[in-house]
Amino acid sequence: MKEEPQYNEVYYQNTTSHSQIMDVVEGNSLALKNLHAPIEWHQIFGNAQPIEIEIGFGKGRFLLETSKENPQKNYIGVERAQKYVLITRDRFVKYLQHNDISRDIGLFENVRLVWTDANFFISRYVPDETVHAYHIYFPDPWPKARQQKRRIFRNNEFLEAITNTLIAEIGKLYIATDSAEYFYEIQERLAHYTQLEPATSEESEYTHITTNFERKYMNEGRNIYRSVHRKS
């Protein structure tokens, strides 16, 4: 078995004390520690729309485009790097300003950004059987051998939390990477979670929305590896 990351409560106390959840339109933020866990999604969004979560949203292109295209869904973006949280929030604001869109019409009210560690958030704050989809695009492959233990798909607690929080027979896990080696490792890891069954290509309705990384890699001529898993 490949080396796995070792996380504990001390690690999370040191790395998640800043954790916040932010409204991209209003810019209001709330300390995650002040929220009751697990979260009640209705209290966050004020409705019962389906919940989809993007992990590691980077500069936020996918999150912006998909939330704009699907106002009937609620989107949570989780990112541990503060600079990308601020870049993404700014991206949403600039989109409204550039297109002269009033905040009163409600565009992007279906989006929240969470600045924290993904495993910490999903395993502690996301209620079981409440997520319609997870999107994990171009996760850091940590290519150096000594770094590979940091790969998010080597974290069994994370994979268990993904499995537990997806809705049975509906929930999907979308994955994309430019690293063939990491892609096949991810598939090997997921094979141990029998509730996550490989889905057909026809079930991937998001391939037309690209991330910043995907556009860059496609321009460089790199291959993109994708998979979709459905919870049974």
Side-chain angles (χ1 to χ4, degrees):
M1 179 64 70
K2 295 181 176 68
E3 187 177 5
E4 298 177 3
Q6 299 297 318
Y7 301 119
N8 54 41
E9 290 305 315
V10 173
Y11 168 83
Y12 285 125
Q13 287 173 11
N14 292 334
T15 59
T16 63
S17 59
H18 59 266
S19 298
Q20 298 176 26
I21 184 167
M22 178 185 296
D23 182 321
V24 296
V25 176
E26 300 298 332
N28 300 327
S29 62
L30 179 66
L32 206 56
K33 64 183 179 182
N34 291 337
L35 287 176
H36 181 270
I39 288 174
E40 294 185 21
W41 297 122
H42 186 274
Q43 292 185 352
I44 300 298
F45 292 102
N47 59 55
Q49 294 182 166
I51 300 292
E52 301 202 3
I53 299 177
E54 183 181 11
I55 296 171
F57 54 76
K59 295 182 180 179
R61 186 176 191 278
F62 174 82
L63 196 59
L64 186 148
E65 294 297 332
T66 194
S67 62
K68 179 180 63 173
E69 187 175 290
N70 300 288
Q72 77 283 5
K73 299 178 180 180
N74 292 328
Y75 290 90
I76 294 280
V78 185
E79 175 61 60
R80 67 178 300 163
Q82 183 186 29
K83 71 174 182 178
Y84 288 127
V85 175
L86 297 178
I87 286 171
T88 296
R89 199 268 158 164
D90 192 48
R91 184 172 203 154
F92 277 88
V93 172
K94 286 183 177 179
Y95 182 90
L96 295 174
Q97 294 174 343
H98 178 75
N99 293 283
D100 196 25
I101 299 172
S102 171
R103 299 183 182 187
D104 295 336
I105 71 168
L107 186 63
F108 302 139
E109 286 185 352
N110 61 331
V111 183
R112 299 293 186 274
L113 304 181
V114 181
W115 174 30
T116 195
D117 177 271
N119 181 62
F120 174 79
F121 180 70
I122 295 169
S123 63
R124 290 158 174 75
Y125 284 91
V126 177
D128 286 352
E129 297 268 340
T130 62
V131 179
H132 283 70
Y134 281 102
H135 302 270
I136 307 179
Y137 301 131
F138 304 93
D140 197 329
W142 297 103
K144 295 181 180 179
R146 67 177 185 276
Q147 297 175 330
Q148 289 182 4
K149 65 181 180 180
R150 301 181 186 178
R151 289 178 169 181
I152 195 167
F153 282 94
R154 289 195 183 180
N155 188 335
N156 285 324
E157 183 184 18
F158 172 75
L159 294 178
E160 289 170 3
I162 290 283
T163 304
N164 292 338
T165 54
L166 282 171
I167 300 172
E169 300 182 3
I170 297 175
K172 296 178 184 177
L173 169 61
Y174 296 89
I175 298 165
T177 177
D178 64 308
S179 170
E181 182 270 331
Y182 192 20
F183 178 77
Y184 293 117
E185 179 184 319
I186 291 170
Q187 303 311 304
E188 180 184 346
R189 291 271 170 177
L190 292 178
H192 293 286
Y193 293 83
T194 55
Q195 285 185 282
L196 298 178
E197 300 177 344
T200 63
S201 58
E202 287 76 17
E203 294 187 74
S204 182
E205 64 265 37
Y206 286 97
T207 55
H208 65 292
I209 303 176
T210 57
T211 69
N212 287 84
F213 276 125
E214 183 169 2
R215 298 180 80 184
K216 173 185 175 182
Y217 295 155
M218 291 177 68
N219 289 336
E220 293 174 354
R222 301 192 197 185
N223 291 325
I224 305 299
Y225 303 89
R226 297 180 178 276
S227 69
V228 183
H229 286 71
R230 178 197 292 274
K231 183 177 177 180
S232 62

